[in-house]
Amino acid sequence: MIQFAKFAEIVDEAARTATAIPQFTASAPLDVDAAYAIQALSLERRFLRGERLVGVKMGLTSRAKMIQVGVDEVIWGRLTDAMRLEEGGSLSKKRYVHPRIEPELAFLMKRELSGEVSAAEALSAVEAIAPAMEIIDSRYENFKFALPDVIADNSSSSGFVVGNWGRPDQDFCNLGIVVEVDGRAVQIGSTAAILGHPIRSLVAAARAAASIGGLKPGWIVLAGGATAAHPLSVGQHVRTVMQNLGSVSINVAEQSCPLSKSH
Ligand code: OOG
Ligand code: MG
């Protein structure tokens, strides 16, 4: 356990200071359970700094994502309030090691959901759905990792932005998605890429979250990138358009503007 705390400190510091670290599995034989224990401990450190748990993110729920990172298991991570970015606002690239962005479908929970649930039960616990984007930023050098590494690193999660919430009683199993950078399409896909239907990702999230007391009302669940992630550079305007649901955007700044009295 003492060693887990050390790994948690290393990965938390790497995230906090935007510094790349070597993969843990290069020097330690971690398994998946150990990796989730490290993730939990590293998030505890953020909670001690005042961050609040606001949901979970599912990862590697599409073939495109699995192929891009060479890991083919569904994973999950924790979302905190500090990771949320303002829709249409800007992110400070300095805060990340080598950030990438990917289109996501977000669920807003209306009711608690935990353990083994059917797709219909999962859907009935949803208040709203929205187009979203996740900023992933592996803390490992060259964005390279094995399954336990990425889990310990909060499944690469480092930011998210959510568009307008829409009704969950619409068909969202096969909605077209376009990710644009400065108006040019860089990724095209469909919500169907997420486990055949994004609601399956919520079913998986309920199962995963059973270990932390279940998904709570008011929480956000990100269903997982529907396309490969796109690298971010300073000056870009990134927008994801999701059929019927609208769009969500973010600007990539070197550094976000300081809110000082002189401005
Ligand atoms: C791992 C996180 C995967 C997703 O949506 O599939 C993920 C990574 O790609 O670094 O967030
Ligand atoms: Mg993601």
Side-chain angles (χ1 to χ4, degrees), residues 57-58 102 104 134 136 224-225:
K57 56 83 54 87
M58 301 306 290
E102 57 196 16
E104 301 255 354
E134 185 182 23
I136 51 168

Side-chain angles (χ1 to χ4, degrees), residues 168-181:
D169 59 351
Q170 56 184 305
D171 196 350
F172 58 91
C173 69
N174 186 10
L175 301 180
I177 298 172
V178 181
V179 182
E180 300 166 356
V181 172

Side-chain angles (χ1 to χ4, degrees), residues 57-62 65 68-69 75 100 102 104 134 136-138 143 145 150 155-157 223-225:
K57 56 83 54 87
M58 301 306 290
L60 309 183
T61 52
S62 69
K65 284 290 309 177
Q68 186 176 30
V69 297
I75 58 178
R100 297 176 177 174
E102 57 196 16
E104 301 255 354
E134 185 182 23
I136 51 168
D137 189 32
S138 177
F143 224 110
F145 44 72
V150 64
S155 295
S156 303
S157 199

Side-chain angles (χ1 to χ4, degrees), residues 23 26 30 43 50 65 72 74 93 101 121 160 214-215 233:
Q23 285 177 236
L30 294 179
L43 268 286
K65 284 290 309 177
D72 59 4
V74 171
K93 188 160 179 293
I101 199 158
E121 283 164 343
F160 65 100
L215 303 171
S233 314

Side-chain angles (χ1 to χ4, degrees), residues 93-111:
K93 188 160 179 293
K94 278 207 158 146
R95 297 223 184 117
Y96 306 85
V97 183
H98 34 213
R100 297 176 177 174
I101 199 158
E102 57 196 16
E104 301 255 354
L105 181 79
F107 294 103
L108 178 64
M109 301 309 296
K110 173 169 64 183
R111 283 203 289 274

